[in-house]
Amino acid sequence: MYYGGYEVVPEIERLTGRLPVVHFKDMLVTESGERRMSWVGGGNRLDFEKIIPAFEKAGTKFAYVEQDDCYGESPFDCLKKSYDYLTSLGLK
């Protein structure tokens, strides 16, 4: 949503009841302005501490992690970082 120019939490609230399954992506904007995919929690544009409760309130039951490009890092290492971050926020 953010990449498309939307404010994430208001959009989640607007779509309450229509988001049983979602996928999480994170975005890192470099100093040069390049937008890059990041492991969830490794970006600098999305506030998952606000996004996750909004999804819970909206009735979301499942979230999947997606990272299109790991930029040379192991996809499994990126997935582990995402998992560790999300579980640190209370997700299981």
Side-chain angles (χ1 to χ4, degrees):
M1 287 185 221
Y2 180 84
Y3 188 85
Y6 294 92
E7 292 293 324
V8 177
V9 171
E11 281 301 303
I12 295 168
E13 291 168 347
R14 185 179 73 78
L15 296 169
T16 293
R18 298 174 55 198
L19 303 167
V21 179
V22 298
H23 71 270
F24 289 158
K25 289 186 174 186
D26 208 346
M27 182 190 314
L28 174 71
V29 178
T30 66
E31 290 182 20
S32 67
E34 177 188 7
R35 294 178 179 189
R36 296 180 77 165
M37 293 285 162
S38 176
W39 51 272
V40 177
N44 57 8
R45 291 294 186 259
L46 298 171
D47 187 351
F48 282 94
E49 291 183 20
K50 292 181 181 174
I51 291 169
I52 290 169
F55 274 123
E56 290 172 338
K57 187 176 177 183
T60 301
K61 300 295 182 201
F62 300 98
Y64 298 93
V65 171
E66 181 177 356
Q67 185 174 349
D68 300 343
D69 193 335
C70 294
Y71 302 95
E73 192 172 351
S74 163
F76 295 104
D77 289 343
C78 291
L79 184 58
K80 172 97 168 74
K81 289 177 187 179
S82 294
Y83 176 83
D84 290 345
Y85 175 72
L86 292 169
T87 57
S88 80
L89 297 179
L91 291 181
K92 298 178 184 175

